[in-house]
Amino acid sequence: MQCGSTSPYWAHVSEYCGACLRITGRDGPSFPEEPTGVSANASPWISELDVQQFFSLSKDDISAVCERFRDDRRVAAAIQLLFLRASGRPMDRFATVPKVLLRSVCEALGSTSVSIASLRSLYERRQTLYEHQAWARMYLGLGDLDEVQLQKLEQVLAVAALEAAHPDDLVRTARIWLYGRRIIIPGSRRIADWARKAFDATEAAMAATIEAAIGKAALRQAIEWAYAPSPATWGSHLEWLKTPPQRDAPSTTLETLEKIRALKALGVHNWALDSIALSKQQA
């Protein structure tokens, strides 16, 4: 393809990294085999389809890269662009780059094959890395999170925490919110801290609501019963309650009825917990 006019564009996504795969960076992640939740030591895996959908250069991208960078810098700058657009996070270093992605970028730019070693060597000069990242940010129209936006994000997390079953759900919510507003996604620790703060505040409020609705004595009795050994199984009463039915049989029905009787003996059917989200009650 020939270099032409420059025109930045933003790839619309329905969720942060729902299907985009990420390259290993200082704060973040490697190319995972699953969309989220894998270690930084996961093997780099990406398919041709992934490259086509999430890591492909448009004509405008190619024109912008060609106009801004000389031949020996274009591949590295293009990968910075693709990674930032796909994940919302800058890539700090080339720990590993899937061959299928590297080949695709080289072909799109009409460049000769480039090795990962040469990319690492290029970024030994940190100023080059910063220049590439700054250009990619400007091209995509991304900015940093400011205090006003942080307050809005905290409000969003506070509302989402009312139904979140785990802080990880709020981490994902934060990333989606930031990505959708073209804000550079901060490091994992900062997002985890915000998520935990919102989650803990909701849990504390929920605990107060439960205590007020049930009463301290009844609540203490229920907790003690839940963690006491169950004669029906090797674990506690709580584990017994959470055990799903094994098969459709009369014995299963009898066991379900026994669980209902045990809960009614605690007075569960009289607990006024409608103000607590069902997802919280089921967690």
Side-chain angles (χ1 to χ4, degrees):
M1 297 183 181
Q2 300 297 319
C3 296
S5 60
T6 302
S7 175
Y9 79 98
W10 184 258
H12 299 287
V13 294
S14 61
E15 64 182 47
Y16 168 77
C17 269
C20 297
L21 303 177
R22 300 177 292 175
I23 303 173
T24 299
R26 180 169 317 210
D27 277 318
S30 60
F31 272 89
E33 295 184 6
E34 299 293 334
T36 58
V38 299
S39 70
N41 295 322
S43 60
W45 179 91
I46 187 172
S47 69
E48 292 279 1
L49 181 59
D50 294 323
V51 170
Q52 293 174 8
Q53 292 184 329
F54 306 112
F55 290 95
S56 61
L57 292 167
S58 70
K59 292 181 179 179
D60 289 335
D61 295 338
I62 295 170
S63 296
V65 171
C66 289
E67 290 178 6
R68 175 61 180 81
F69 300 100
R70 63 177 189 243
D71 292 348
D72 62 337
R73 305 270 175 111
R74 289 174 182 171
V75 173
I79 291 177
Q80 289 284 352
L81 164 63
L82 292 172
F83 178 82
L84 183 58
R85 181 162 57 205
S87 70
R89 286 279 299 144
M91 183 177 61
D92 290 335
R93 56 179 177 156
F94 282 95
T96 181
V97 179
K99 292 181 179 179
V100 64
L101 174 59
L102 194 55
R103 183 176 65 250
S104 173
V105 172
C106 290
E107 291 176 353
L109 294 173
S111 302
T112 57
S113 297
V114 176
S115 67
I116 297 175
S118 65
L119 296 178
R120 293 196 192 115
S121 176
L122 176 65
Y123 284 154
E124 286 179 357
R125 181 177 180 270
R126 300 298 290 179
Q127 186 61 33
T128 301
L129 172 65
Y130 300 147
E131 289 173 358
H132 287 189
Q133 291 177 343
W135 172 81
R137 287 173 51 143
M138 181 180 65
Y139 176 73
L140 295 172
L142 298 178
D144 290 318
L145 180 68
D146 59 29
E147 287 299 323
V148 174
Q149 293 164 334
L150 177 56
Q151 291 178 2
K152 292 180 180 179
L153 174 59
E154 289 175 337
Q155 293 172 356
V156 169
L157 293 178
V159 173
L162 296 174
E163 297 189 3
H166 193 276
D168 287 348
D169 298 333
L170 300 181
V171 169
R172 180 173 174 272
T173 297
R175 286 173 169 166
I176 295 171
W177 189 89
L178 291 164
Y179 189 99
R181 285 155 185 78
R182 301 189 186 184
I183 299 172
I184 294 291
I185 297 174
S188 299
R189 290 183 181 178
R190 290 186 67 191
I191 295 180
D193 287 344
W194 298 330
R196 173 57 66 180
K197 179 182 177 182
F199 189 82
D200 288 349
T202 299
E203 291 289 296
M206 184 174 65
T209 299
I210 293 173
E211 184 175 302
I214 300 174
K216 288 185 178 180
L219 179 58
R220 187 180 304 110
Q221 178 188 3
I223 292 174
E224 291 175 352
W225 178 88
Y227 290 98
S230 170
T233 182
W234 54 268
S236 65
H237 286 118
L238 181 59
E239 291 170 313
W240 171 60
L241 290 173
K242 295 173 71 173
T243 303
Q246 298 298 319
R247 61 184 184 278
D248 187 9
S251 61
T252 299
T253 302
L254 292 175
E255 183 178 16
T256 300
L257 293 173
E258 181 63 27
K259 291 179 179 179
I260 293 173
R261 283 192 290 268
L263 291 173
K264 292 189 70 175
L266 291 172
V268 172
H269 57 297
N270 294 321
W271 295 353
L273 302 176
D274 293 344
S275 61
I276 298 176
L278 184 59
S279 59
K280 286 285 192 180
Q281 297 184 38
Q282 294 174 338

